[in-house]
Amino acid sequence: MSAPSLTPPTLHGVTARGPLSDAILRRLTGGDADDLGAQAETALATTDDIVRDDDIQLALFVLYASSYGSLPGLDPALEWDAALITTRGLLEHAFERALRATVPQPALPEPTVDAVGRALFALAEADTGPSLSRYVAKKATAEQMQEFFMQRSIYTLREADPHSWAIPRLHGRAKAALVEIQSDEYGGGRPDRVHATIFARAMRGAGLDDTYGAYVDDVPAITLASLNTMSMFGLNRRLVGAIVGHLAAFEMTSSIPNRLYGDGLRRLGFREDVTDYFDEHVEADAVHEQIAARDLAGGLAEDHPELLADIMFGASACLTVDGWAAGHMLDSWMRGESSLRPRDDR
């Protein structure tokens, strides 16, 4: 993808990675950008891999940031700008098609609480993705752990927000289960225990900037794609089954890796202010996985069998896309390289 021909717009931590993201950044920061739809169609027609395309994934990331309000400098009056929403729709449909074409679709269980719960646990146990957590526990360097925090900050400084879009779209037991999980994610009424806040404290303890978006320019497209996947699922009501399945898989594959991440950080001499986030998730997510698999995903499937396929797709997408992102970090480190974008590209 060629570099933008115009001077990139100013937005803290974010620089355009191609013509499409350049145009969207301009529009969202109050500048002029014509033919956004045509630019999106051109970007989609010329990409070899939408999931790893820097220009497209950054464009989606910034469009979603407008809805989250996560980046200062994005004009809130433009959240529902017709041209931007149309462009987002074009990118989302192409991104969704790519995921459905590449993410394995597991066999569908019976739409009952027990069957769906068992199927989701089996799916998580069968996941053969790269074990970044085992590498961190035994081999990662302090510099690699800083990269780890930078990569994870793209989601974790907004932890739980993508899945919370589903709350008003659910009813009954599924809604109650999701609220129970999210209440813990947001600290159970204690601002200092909000998981995103604990992670921000860990970043500061690791010598990093905890400002959201500070490291967007540093991370590759696959890291943005991980957050964009859950943002797309959460922000589209037609994909409510997918965001529920995503959360179930997310919670079911969290407890053991977080224990290993904490062990690796202690091995490297990091203090409790850095390890607290990971230790918190060892216990919390061991409880959440049962609620997410059975009460949330299983309950939704039992009440709405028509959503079963998307529930399983969302779970598989979580394991697959997050596996790609983890694999990128692990492969880079095994080659003795940085997992961040080359400096010449930033």
Side-chain angles (χ1 to χ4, degrees):
M1 189 68 68
S2 61
S5 59
L6 302 175
T7 302
T10 299
L11 186 66
H12 176 71
V14 183
T15 304
R17 301 187 188 183
L20 177 60
S21 54
D22 180 84
I24 288 174
L25 281 167
R26 288 180 184 284
R27 184 65 166 259
L28 278 170
T29 52
D32 294 327
D34 296 328
D35 299 323
L36 289 178
Q39 295 204 49
E41 289 174 351
T42 298
L44 292 171
T46 56
T47 187
D48 294 326
D49 183 355
I50 188 174
V51 176
R52 293 170 177 81
D53 188 293
D54 275 299
D55 192 24
I56 292 174
Q57 290 300 328
L58 181 63
L60 267 176
F61 170 82
V62 176
L63 286 166
Y64 291 138
S66 178
S67 290
Y68 286 114
S70 55
L71 294 175
L74 298 179
D75 186 349
L78 294 173
E79 179 184 358
W80 296 105
D81 176 81
L84 289 168
I85 292 299
T86 298
T87 303
R88 194 183 94 182
L90 289 170
L91 299 177
E92 284 180 332
H93 284 291
F95 186 34
E96 182 185 350
R97 284 196 304 271
L99 291 178
R100 290 190 183 275
T102 54
V103 168
Q105 178 62 47
L108 299 185
E110 291 296 314
T112 66
V113 168
D114 288 341
V116 171
R118 287 196 303 270
L120 288 170
F121 276 108
L123 184 66
E125 290 170 3
D127 180 38
T128 57
S131 183
L132 181 66
S133 59
R134 283 197 291 270
Y135 180 90
V136 166
K138 300 293 185 181
K139 298 181 179 180
T141 66
E143 183 179 10
Q144 288 169 342
M145 288 313 300
Q146 283 197 318
E147 288 189 12
F148 173 85
F149 277 109
M150 293 164 71
Q151 299 269 17
R152 290 297 174 95
S153 70
I154 303 304
Y155 162 69
T156 313
L157 287 175
R158 302 290 305 189
E159 183 168 354
D161 290 350
H163 298 110
S164 291
W165 294 112
I167 292 174
R169 294 162 183 183
L170 296 173
H171 304 277
R173 52 182 167 173
K175 185 170 193 165
L178 179 55
V179 169
E180 182 177 358
I181 293 169
Q182 298 305 82
S183 177
D184 285 346
E185 299 289 342
Y186 294 125
R190 296 177 55 191
D192 62 311
R193 300 310 296 171
V194 173
H195 288 181
T197 300
I198 303 174
F199 188 79
R201 186 161 59 244
M203 290 191 70
R204 294 193 298 273
L208 296 168
D209 187 347
D210 68 341
T211 304
Y212 187 78
Y215 298 109
V216 171
D217 280 355
D218 298 285
V219 305
I222 192 60
T223 300
L224 300 179
S226 176
L227 176 57
N228 287 343
T229 296
M230 58 181 100
S231 296
M232 177 175 67
F233 291 168
L235 277 163
N236 285 277
R237 186 162 57 91
R238 62 186 174 80
L239 294 172
V240 65
I243 192 62
V244 164
H246 188 287
L247 177 59
F250 196 87
E251 297 291 343
M252 293 164 64
T253 54
S254 175
S255 183
I256 293 174
N258 275 299
R259 176 175 58 80
L260 293 172
Y261 292 139
D263 290 346
L265 289 164
R266 277 182 283 272
R267 173 180 60 80
L268 291 166
F270 285 99
R271 302 186 305 272
E272 185 178 352
D273 58 340
V274 179
T275 62
D276 183 29
Y277 171 85
F278 303 95
D279 296 338
E280 166 75 14
H281 282 71
V282 173
E283 180 176 349
D285 290 349
V287 175
H288 289 174
E289 67 179 21
Q290 296 291 335
I291 301 170
R294 296 177 55 82
D295 301 334
L296 175 57
L300 182 63
E302 197 166 82
D303 292 342
H304 294 279
E306 72 278 8
L307 297 179
L308 176 62
D310 268 2
I311 291 171
M312 300 305 296
F313 164 65
S316 187
C318 173
L319 298 174
T320 301
V321 179
D322 286 0
W324 291 337
H328 166 77
M329 278 192 278
L330 185 57
D331 290 347
S332 298
W333 295 344
M334 294 290 284
R335 294 193 303 268
E337 300 173 359
S338 171
S339 67
L340 304 177
R341 296 175 69 216
R343 292 199 174 274
D344 290 346
D345 292 344
R346 302 181 211 173

